[in-house]
Amino acid sequence: MRATAAAAARREAAARARAFAEADARALDGLVSVRPRQAVPRPQPVWDDAEMLVHEPAGERYRRLVLASSSIAHTALAGQFLMITVPPHAGDTILLPRPMAIHRRRPATADQPGTVELIYGVVGRGTRALAAVPVGGTLQVTGPLGRGFEFETGTRSALLIGRGVGICGVMGAAEDAQAAGIRTTMVLSGQRPEQLLGRADCAELGVRVIAVTDDDGSSDLVTLSAGLRAEFDGATPERTPPDVVMVCGAGVLARLAAELGAHWGVPVQASLEAHMACGLGYCHGCAAPVRTDASVEGPLVCADGPVFDARIPVD
Amino acid sequence: MRATAAAAARREAAARARAFAEADARALDGLVSVRPRQAVPRPQPVWDDAEMLVHEPAGERYRRLVLASSSIAHTALAGQFLMITVPPHAGDTILLPRPMAIHRRRPATADQPGTVELIYGVVGRGTRALAAVPVGGTLQVTGPLGRGFEFETGTRSALLIGRGVGICGVMGAAEDAQAAGIRTTMVLSGQRPEQLLGRADCAELGVRVIAVTDDDGSSDLVTLSAGLRAEFDGATPERTPPDVVMVCGAGVLARLAAELGAHWGVPVQASLEAHMACGLGYCHGCAAPVRTDASVEGPLVCADGPVFDARIPVD
Amino acid sequence: MVAVRADTEFPDARAAYAAAPGAATVDLSVRIGSLTLHTPVMPASGCFGPELGALIPVAELGAAVTKTVFGSARGGNPVHRLTEIPAGMVNSVGIPSRGPVGYLATLHPRYAALDVPTIISVGGHRPSEYAPVVAALGENGAAFELNVSCPNLDRNGTDIGSDPAAIREVVAAVRLVTDKPIIVKLPVLVASIADCARAAEEAGADAVCVANSIPAMPLDALTRRPILGNVIGGLSGPSIKPIVLRLVWLASRAVQIPVIACGGVETADDALDYFSVGASAVQVGTASFARPFAAVEVARGLQQRCRDAEVGTIRELLELDAAL
Amino acid sequence: MVAVRADTEFPDARAAYAAAPGAATVDLSVRIGSLTLHTPVMPASGCFGPELGALIPVAELGAAVTKTVFGSARGGNPVHRLTEIPAGMVNSVGIPSRGPVGYLATLHPRYAALDVPTIISVGGHRPSEYAPVVAALGENGAAFELNVSCPNLDRNGTDIGSDPAAIREVVAAVRLVTDKPIIVKLPVLVASIADCARAAEEAGADAVCVANSIPAMPLDALTRRPILGNVIGGLSGPSIKPIVLRLVWLASRAVQIPVIACGGVETADDALDYFSVGASAVQVGTASFARPFAAVEVARGLQQRCRDAEVGTIRELLELDAAL
Ligand SMILES: Cc1cc2nc3c(=O)[nH]c(=O)nc-3n(C[C@H](O)[C@H](O)[C@H](O)COP(=O)(O)OP(=O)(O)OC[C@H]3O[C@@H](n4cnc5c(N)ncnc54)[C@H](O)[C@@H]3O)c2cc1C
Ligand SMILES: Cc1cc2nc3c(=O)[nH]c(=O)nc-3n(C[C@H](O)[C@H](O)[C@H](O)COP(=O)(O)OP(=O)(O)OC[C@H]3O[C@@H](n4cnc5c(N)ncnc54)[C@H](O)[C@@H]3O)c2cc1C
Ligand SMILES: Cc1cc2nc3c(=O)[nH]c(=O)nc-3n(C[C@H](O)[C@H](O)[C@H](O)COP(=O)(O)O)c2cc1C
Ligand SMILES: Cc1cc2nc3c(=O)[nH]c(=O)nc-3n(C[C@H](O)[C@H](O)[C@H](O)COP(=O)(O)O)c2cc1C
Ligand code: FES
Ligand code: FES
């Protein structure tokens, strides 16, 4: 019976969504903290009317957006994000701008404006309306925002881990790593091989890729953890642990990275998400999952993150 | 300056809208009344999922919609209307169905379903969303509704007057007139010749057309009134007054028709509009502009009309 | 039951619809005082009429609810009486009413011909006006819904339903003149919905209905004049649901009597949302205009969900969902 | 004024925007008690921060309004703190506050650096909590906005602002500790907005702000669980405007002091709608998130409209429109 199948599918989806949210919250509980004051000053965010140069499908389930904004492309740091104002679409008005990670930054050249590239999944009202915006117009964006991934001076090697659209969160770090000559491995995780983002980017940046998927079971957390431990077990000079782990994906993935970091004794940086309104630090909408006492407002994902230190709690 | 021009245009549009609404209310004040009990019983309204066979531009500013519904095409009387449920469009939900006059009825044949044809202008949220519905799907409609135009037995000639999309309101009467062998003249009024609806329908139905437009001033109420008086002045057998006048357009046009009716001593029937929710007579949303004492609920456009008797008040 | 029958020569969509209800195998009946409704779905006052008897299988609803009947006959408000804006439907139909005598003479027989209990909505302009109307309606109707979203002329025009003392007065007086179930339909704009619901319960009401439409003032975008002849109208439809959900949640925690939810119900999912915060039944208003069978669809949808999940009550369905 | 300056090497849209205000040739100033604002447009509390100083020409606004400051330091609500649903934005940020001392130490200097008067929003959990905060803020800020949409812990959690007696108590106490203008920001869910506005006026307020966001309970469509960590949040944005318009209309007829309208203002037309029903000024909230310059646009739009119509006040503009 069709209706029964639909109802069953709905119940399953609801169960998955609940289980995911609960696992995420559990995994992040006590895991992250604000990093000490940063060395590089953050760029002043601007708002810009950015021309939409490209807006096309990317892989099986995402959309790629290339925006011309020399100012933002020039100043954005790895792991920073933009707030995208979604224009009204056929009577539907989207009130809140949507935070999106800056996947790639391409500074202006003599004859080309600087661009930023974003990749997003069409999941709800906001991204559905965004997907309908045609190339050629301008999109209003505010950024670059937040505190991103930071390499300590002297870093020689890095392990980056991204899952799904979270790959965009860490790709800026891959760009910085390449520029700084840091030996980098990137784990690309996703449901199916056809959905994996970032292969071409990694090739362009000379980043070694470990692709894992749900399809063949390689993305399973236990399997992945074991594989990475084996990969960086110190048996040969090429197999020494990375100097830093950077991760963007679900909470359980951040926890996995923190466990690896603890195992190897290296710092871990994790990029988080939160519902946002201003992106600038004044609306207090984006509380970070950091335990604080009830009389103190905790850190904010948009201003103190989105990238936090991730460490397995000792309590 | 562009902004100034826009502001001026807005102010002018607002002034026009206000002036129109006030003139309309003034013209209708005391003009209409519910007709005595009708001879032909009204068909039972149904709701139907009607296939959209045609949905295309009509003239310069309207859209034509042909819907397959044998049941409605079979029973609808001249001047009745449908409530059209507008499907949700790209996130915009239209809550209230929109009343639309049945412009043409084409009963089922051996190999074709019966159809009804509607014509509408894209003016607001409702009609904008309707215009986006593609051919091929089904549209939910309720009808036929209301009390339409009725020819008394023995009627030999009729003058029909329609303006703009109001032409659709009277076209059903032209169909009935043709079937009953009633000699019919139809005034088609509109802003510009390119916008006049119904020429082809009148040709098909053998109805004589008097086309008047704002462009050449012929639609001006004084000019039109004088022209029609001259046209039907009784000077020759072809020029005798019509036995009935039927009108659908603004209030001022209904009043003009009532004046002609008084002049010629013939009855006038006028089709009115009102904001509607149910179309069936239970929500009381569509009060007709008929003076009643404060303790009595007056007639309803959907149930007692949309066609009313129009007579110049004697007070 | 008034048969829903299509013209046999040219069938329309009604026939197939009425013929395919899906067996009502699950007992979803709900009690409102001494009255048992076979399904917890009914129309909202003012959004239903006996005219629908020929269009939809009314017997699949738990009850019919009439437009509010006032003590004396009076006309409705000036035009426009309703409109649609992006935020929803706004109506200022007002209170076209023929009084209880006129209602019994003209409308009630048509309600009585429908094969469902009739809940008669009753209104007044001061607390003292309700009981006489209920008394005049006598043994007609299966229950009374007291519409207290009416300006109290004894108290400066503030809604009767926003004043717990006035609610108590209305309900206590009505309780004296009828043994039938009393539902009190509360307004949205109140300081404390819990206090209002408790006042109704303490004075003897058998259920509260939460809530009525939200007073609003739509202006014409071009002319900046009020669209409605009455200037003010009631906002209804899906956009008010998140506001009413909170009120239903608070009212359900405040009283033991059933809470009937009303506000933006379009689908069985909307109904389940309300059930999940404590409602025992729902009313469908605005949704019926675009889809006359909307309330029937909600009732069928609840049956279907329970059947699919192989449970016997909505509570079990919600528990199963919550346990997932 | 904090200069809005773009990087000269790679200019962004801000520079052109800030450079093109259109001459402020019309005097649209408005008085709130002893305070004169050069334009009747300001941000809504909680929807503005000094961070915007570098993004928009803040000096084009009439004032800055702070997020509500409470007596003692406390964190905000659990996540999610905000979301967007079809009916609008819903927030349950709660009241992350550092108390007046913390506010003065950290936030106030950044407000003071903006070239506009700062209106400090003050809250409390019982009527007695407001005056001490205002006293502690002392000579800082140009005016105080009393956010009375706060549960009154002395009275069962009903909003202070829905109880005229509690409003009177709050305002009278604050009046004793400051000579600065007092604005009372009223909630939507009240029995009579006129009674609430009058209570504020009679107790010595210089203006009322109508209104705050509307309490609502958004549920996740899939899981049917509350989206917000706090279960309940405040609905804001364009869909609440028709509801707030009626409240502004009623409040304006009830009091002589200025009424500041707040609810769904996105454009100069929205502001003019509010002015046409009696408001003297407007606040812009939700609209600023998607368009940080929204409030500046409203102020510029009002200038432009007056210039185009060659009138010197908004009243004249509205009269001219009404006379058309
Ligand atoms: C720092 C940051 C970077 C992000 N980068 C990306 C990216 O590169 N690509 C991408 O596809 N998505 C990204 N997201 C999530 C993105 O902002 C969207 O909100 C999310 O995809 C939900 O889609 P929607 O707006 O269509 O959902 P809707 O159903 O319209 O969202 C409803 C509300 O919930 C909020 N919301 C829902 N899901 C999320 C989420 N996961 N994170 C934050 N808010 C959410 C929305 O902002 C909105 O307020 C990022 C989020 C953050 C905080
Ligand atoms: C009996 C009857 C027959 C009609 N026949 C036609 C027709 O053949 N062709 C056609 O184009 N239009 C017809 N109309 C008007 C039509 O129903 C639309 O409401 C109108 O075109 C407004 O367009 P909208 O819905 O896009 O406006 P919106 O701005 O979306 O309308 C807002 C609200 O106002 C109501 N409204 C606005 N204008 C009117 C109006 N003129 N009449 C009734 N309600 C209105 C709408 O129903 C809606 O509730 C008829 C109306 C009636 C009552
Ligand atoms: C046209 C119309 C007329 C209404 N008339 C009444 C009425 O007479 N009495 C009453 O208590 N509520 C009346 N209501 C309110 C509805 O019963 C219901 O409470 C409200 O519309 C919210 O539900 P909804 O969102 O499902 O429409 C009316 C609503 C509408 C739209
Ligand atoms: C994120 C957010 C935070 C808010 N914080 C406060 C606050 O601290 N104090 C207050 O009085 N109102 C607060 N409000 C309410 C707004 O000031 C305003 O009254 C409401 O949002 C309606 O206006 P709008 O529709 O223009 O947003 C807040 C609103 C939002 C959206
Ligand atoms: S999004 Fe506003 S404070 Fe972070
Ligand atoms: S539209 Fe409902 S009574 Fe006429």
Side-chain angles (χ1 to χ4, degrees):
Chain A
M1 228 179 110
R2 231 184 54 224
T4 313
R10 185 187 185 280
R11 293 166 64 82
E12 253 169 61
R16 258 201 316 276
R18 285 177 179 186
F20 181 86
E22 278 156 19
D24 213 56
R26 243 189 339 266
L28 287 173
D29 188 38
L31 192 77
V32 300
S33 56
V34 176
R35 277 170 301 153
R37 193 163 291 282
Q38 74 195 88
V40 191
R42 271 191 251 175
Q44 165 64 45
V46 306
W47 61 265
D48 209 356
D49 290 321
E51 193 185 337
M52 284 178 72
L53 303 177
V54 177
H55 194 186
E56 63 184 18
E60 230 182 33
R61 34 179 302 189
Y62 303 106
R63 290 183 68 80
R64 177 193 324 273
L65 196 52
V66 178
L67 300 173
S69 174
S70 297
S71 156
I72 295 174
H74 180 60
T75 58
L77 304 175
Q80 283 198 299
F81 67 96
L82 302 180
M83 292 298 274
I84 309 280
T85 298
V86 182
H89 167 54
D92 201 19
T93 310
I94 303 297
L95 295 180
L96 293 179
R98 295 298 192 263
M100 294 279 169
I102 301 174
H103 176 59
R104 299 297 306 269
R105 302 155 285 170
R106 296 196 177 82
T109 61
D111 49 357
Q112 299 276 359
T115 62
V116 286
E117 180 177 335
L118 319 173
I119 300 181
Y120 66 94
V122 178
V123 298
R125 266 179 74 235
T127 46
R128 255 197 316 275
L130 180 59
V133 181
V135 169
T138 61
L139 205 58
Q140 195 199 301
V141 297
T142 303
L145 297 167
R147 184 167 176 194
F149 290 105
E150 288 155 15
F151 290 101
E152 308 231 331
T153 40
T155 305
R156 286 154 310 153
S157 66
L159 171 61
L160 312 184
I161 309 176
R163 175 163 167 94
V165 90
I167 292 168
C168 305
V170 284
M171 196 57 77
E175 291 178 328
D176 281 9
Q178 185 220 28
I182 297 168
R183 201 171 63 251
T184 306
T185 302
M186 174 109 106
V187 175
L188 304 179
S189 173
Q191 282 174 14
R192 296 153 38 71
E194 294 76 9
Q195 293 171 0
L196 285 186
L197 297 172
R199 278 183 187 280
D201 302 287
C202 287
E204 176 199 330
L205 295 169
V207 166
R208 185 169 71 112
V209 164
I210 300 177
V212 297
T213 64
D214 303 357
D215 260 14
D216 67 6
S218 53
S219 65
D220 168 77
L221 291 175
V222 177
T223 313
L224 178 59
S225 178
L228 291 174
R229 283 172 198 237
E231 187 76 30
F232 295 94
D233 64 359
T236 68
E238 286 77 46
R239 289 178 134 188
T240 49
D243 292 339
V244 64
V245 183
M246 294 172 168
V247 61
C248 183
V252 290
L253 205 64
R255 194 164 195 100
L256 178 147
E259 282 163 0
L260 290 173
H263 176 67
W264 292 323
V266 302
V268 178
Q269 299 179 13
S271 181
L272 304 185
E273 290 190 350
H275 290 205
M276 294 185 175
C278 74
L280 289 162
Y282 67 78
C283 82
H284 290 261
C286 63
V290 172
R291 291 187 198 152
T292 51
D293 101 54
S295 80
V296 178
E297 169 72 345
L300 300 170
V301 172
C302 75
D304 301 302
V307 178
F308 292 86
D309 273 347
R311 215 166 297 139
I312 298 294
V314 282
D315 60 29
Chain B
M1 228 180 113
R2 232 186 51 226
T4 314
R10 186 188 184 281
R11 292 165 63 82
E12 253 169 61
R16 259 200 316 276
R18 284 178 181 187
F20 180 86
E22 279 156 19
D24 213 56
R26 244 193 335 269
L28 287 173
D29 188 37
L31 192 75
V32 301
S33 56
V34 176
R35 278 171 301 153
R37 193 163 291 282
Q38 75 196 86
V40 192
R42 271 190 250 175
Q44 165 63 46
V46 306
W47 61 265
D48 208 356
D49 290 322
E51 195 185 336
M52 286 179 71
L53 302 176
V54 177
H55 193 187
E56 63 184 17
E60 230 182 36
R61 33 179 301 190
Y62 303 106
R63 291 182 68 80
R64 178 193 322 274
L65 196 52
V66 179
L67 300 173
S69 174
S70 297
S71 157
I72 295 175
H74 180 60
T75 58
L77 303 175
Q80 284 197 299
F81 66 95
L82 302 179
M83 293 297 274
I84 308 279
T85 297
V86 182
H89 169 55
D92 200 19
T93 310
I94 303 297
L95 295 180
L96 292 179
R98 296 298 193 260
M100 293 280 170
I102 301 174
H103 176 58
R104 298 298 306 270
R105 301 156 285 170
R106 296 194 177 85
T109 62
D111 49 356
Q112 299 275 359
T115 62
V116 287
E117 180 177 334
L118 319 173
I119 300 181
Y120 66 94
V122 178
V123 298
R125 267 179 74 235
T127 45
R128 256 197 315 275
L130 180 59
V133 181
V135 168
T138 62
L139 205 57
Q140 195 200 302
V141 297
T142 303
L145 297 167
R147 185 170 174 192
F149 290 105
E150 289 156 15
F151 289 102
E152 306 230 334
T153 40
T155 304
R156 285 153 311 152
S157 67
L159 172 61
L160 312 183
I161 309 177
R163 176 164 166 95
V165 90
I167 291 167
C168 306
V170 284
M171 196 56 78
E175 291 178 328
D176 281 9
Q178 186 222 24
I182 297 168
R183 202 171 62 248
T184 307
T185 303
M186 174 109 107
V187 175
L188 305 178
S189 173
Q191 283 175 10
R192 297 155 35 72
E194 295 76 9
Q195 293 171 0
L196 285 186
L197 297 172
R199 276 183 188 282
D201 301 289
C202 287
E204 178 198 327
L205 295 169
V207 167
R208 185 170 70 114
V209 164
I210 300 177
V212 297
T213 64
D214 303 357
D215 260 15
D216 68 6
S218 51
S219 66
D220 170 75
L221 291 176
V222 176
T223 312
L224 178 59
S225 179
L228 290 175
R229 282 171 198 238
E231 187 75 30
F232 295 93
D233 64 1
T236 69
E238 285 75 47
R239 289 179 135 191
T240 49
D243 293 338
V244 65
V245 182
M246 294 172 169
V247 62
C248 183
V252 290
L253 206 62
R255 196 166 193 96
L256 177 147
E259 282 162 0
L260 290 173
H263 177 66
W264 292 323
V266 303
V268 178
Q269 298 179 15
S271 181
L272 304 185
E273 289 189 351
H275 289 204
M276 293 184 176
C278 74
L280 290 162
Y282 67 76
C283 82
H284 290 260
C286 63
V290 173
R291 292 187 198 152
T292 50
D293 103 51
S295 79
V296 177
E297 169 72 345
L300 300 170
V301 172
C302 75
D304 301 303
V307 177
F308 292 86
D309 272 347
R311 214 168 298 143
I312 299 294
V314 282
D315 60 29
Chain C
M1 171 179 169
V2 176
V4 172
R5 242 178 348 100
D7 183 298
T8 44
E9 195 183 354
F10 298 111
D12 54 71
R14 288 176 307 156
Y17 185 81
T25 50
V26 186
D27 176 14
L28 297 181
S29 63
V30 59
R31 293 181 61 86
I32 309 289
S34 58
L35 176 67
T36 300
L37 311 181
H38 72 84
T39 181
V41 184
M42 64 193 103
S45 174
C47 306
F48 181 87
E51 291 81 358
L52 287 170
L55 287 185
I56 61 168
V58 172
E60 290 185 44
L61 301 178
V65 180
T66 72
K67 185 154 181 67
T68 303
V69 178
F70 283 77
S72 53
R74 46 172 295 178
N77 282 324
V79 293
H80 300 303
R81 287 185 176 179
L82 53 80
T83 193
E84 180 174 348
I85 57 174
M89 164 177 194
V90 203
N91 90 83
S92 64
V93 168
I95 26 193
S97 167
R98 309 180 191 206
V101 177
Y103 165 77
L104 288 178
T106 59
L107 261 175
H108 191 69
R110 300 173 65 197
Y111 275 104
L114 301 174
D115 203 17
V116 284
T118 302
I119 297 176
I120 307 180
S121 172
V122 170
H125 295 299
R126 28 180 65 89
S128 59
E129 284 184 15
Y130 289 76
V133 180
V134 171
L137 290 167
E139 283 313 303
N140 299 288
F144 297 104
E145 182 175 275
L146 308 182
N147 172 3
V148 291
S149 303
C150 304
N152 185 348
L153 300 183
D154 282 351
R155 205 176 150 254
N156 227 344
T158 302
D159 268 9
I160 293 171
S162 68
D163 175 4
I167 293 173
R168 242 181 232 109
E169 190 183 338
V170 168
V171 177
V174 171
R175 188 72 292 168
L176 289 179
V177 300
T178 188
D179 291 333
K180 299 196 174 182
I182 299 175
I183 302 162
V184 179
K185 185 173 179 189
L186 298 171
V188 169
L189 299 183
V190 301
S192 163
I193 195 79
D195 288 352
C196 294
R198 267 192 296 263
E201 179 177 45
E202 285 162 14
D206 298 285
V208 288
C209 173
V210 177
N212 219 303
S213 54
I214 306 182
M217 182 176 179
L219 298 184
D220 184 90
L222 198 58
T223 64
R224 203 159 279 138
R225 289 188 179 169
I227 298 176
L228 301 176
N230 187 48
V231 180
I232 299 301
L235 182 68
S236 62
S239 71
I240 74 169
K241 191 184 137 195
I243 297 171
V244 178
L245 260 171
R246 168 181 168 276
L247 298 177
V248 168
W249 184 63
L250 293 174
S252 300
R253 288 151 51 117
V255 296
Q256 301 298 315
I257 53 176
V259 175
I260 304 170
C262 179
V265 174
E266 296 189 316
T267 64
D269 269 312
D270 293 323
L272 287 168
D273 283 351
Y274 277 119
F275 290 129
S276 80
V277 300
S280 299
V282 295
Q283 295 187 344
V284 180
T286 303
S288 296
F289 296 125
R291 300 183 298 121
F293 46 79
V296 171
E297 289 279 85
V298 173
R300 289 184 180 183
L302 294 176
Q303 279 282 340
Q304 177 79 40
R305 291 295 178 82
C306 289
R307 252 191 334 267
D308 289 350
E310 298 179 345
V311 296
T313 65
I314 288 170
R315 250 340 100 202
E316 284 171 74
L317 182 68
L318 293 170
E319 275 160 22
L320 207 68
D321 273 357
L324 273 178
Chain D
M1 171 182 169
V2 175
V4 172
R5 240 175 352 96
D7 182 300
T8 44
E9 195 182 354
F10 298 110
D12 54 71
R14 289 177 305 156
Y17 185 81
T25 50
V26 186
D27 176 13
L28 297 182
S29 64
V30 58
R31 293 182 61 86
I32 309 287
S34 57
L35 176 67
T36 301
L37 311 181
H38 73 85
T39 181
V41 183
M42 63 193 103
S45 173
C47 306
F48 182 88
E51 291 81 357
L52 287 169
L55 287 185
I56 61 168
V58 171
E60 290 185 47
L61 302 179
V65 180
T66 72
K67 186 154 183 65
T68 303
V69 177
F70 283 78
S72 53
R74 45 173 294 178
N77 282 325
V79 293
H80 299 304
R81 286 185 176 180
L82 54 80
T83 192
E84 179 174 347
I85 57 174
M89 164 177 192
V90 201
N91 90 82
S92 62
V93 169
I95 25 193
S97 167
R98 307 179 193 207
V101 177
Y103 166 77
L104 289 178
T106 58
L107 261 175
H108 192 69
R110 300 174 64 197
Y111 276 103
L114 302 174
D115 203 16
V116 284
T118 302
I119 298 176
I120 307 181
S121 171
V122 170
H125 296 298
R126 27 179 65 89
S128 59
E129 285 184 16
Y130 288 76
V133 180
V134 172
L137 291 167
E139 284 313 300
N140 298 287
F144 296 105
E145 181 175 276
L146 308 182
N147 172 4
V148 290
S149 303
C150 304
N152 185 346
L153 300 185
D154 281 351
R155 205 177 150 254
N156 226 344
T158 303
D159 267 9
I160 293 171
S162 67
D163 176 4
I167 294 173
R168 241 181 232 108
E169 189 182 340
V170 169
V171 177
V174 171
R175 189 71 295 168
L176 290 177
V177 299
T178 187
D179 292 331
K180 300 199 176 182
I182 299 175
I183 302 163
V184 179
K185 184 172 179 189
L186 297 171
V188 169
L189 299 183
V190 301
S192 164
I193 195 80
D195 288 352
C196 294
R198 268 192 297 263
E201 179 177 45
E202 285 162 14
D206 298 283
V208 288
C209 173
V210 176
N212 219 303
S213 53
I214 306 182
M217 181 175 180
L219 297 184
D220 184 89
L222 197 58
T223 64
R224 202 161 282 138
R225 289 189 180 170
I227 298 177
L228 301 176
N230 187 48
V231 180
I232 301 299
L235 182 68
S236 62
S239 71
I240 74 169
K241 192 186 136 196
I243 297 172
V244 179
L245 260 170
R246 167 180 168 277
L247 299 177
V248 169
W249 184 63
L250 293 174
S252 300
R253 289 150 51 117
V255 296
Q256 301 299 317
I257 53 177
V259 175
I260 304 171
C262 179
V265 175
E266 296 189 316
T267 65
D269 269 311
D270 293 323
L272 287 168
D273 283 350
Y274 277 118
F275 290 130
S276 79
V277 299
S280 299
V282 294
Q283 294 187 345
V284 180
T286 304
S288 296
F289 297 125
R291 302 183 298 122
F293 46 80
V296 171
E297 289 279 84
V298 172
R300 289 184 180 183
L302 292 176
Q303 279 282 340
Q304 177 79 39
R305 291 294 178 84
C306 290
R307 253 192 334 265
D308 289 349
E310 298 178 349
V311 296
T313 66
I314 288 170
R315 251 340 102 201
E316 283 171 74
L317 182 67
L318 291 171
E319 275 159 23
L320 207 67
D321 273 357
L324 273 179

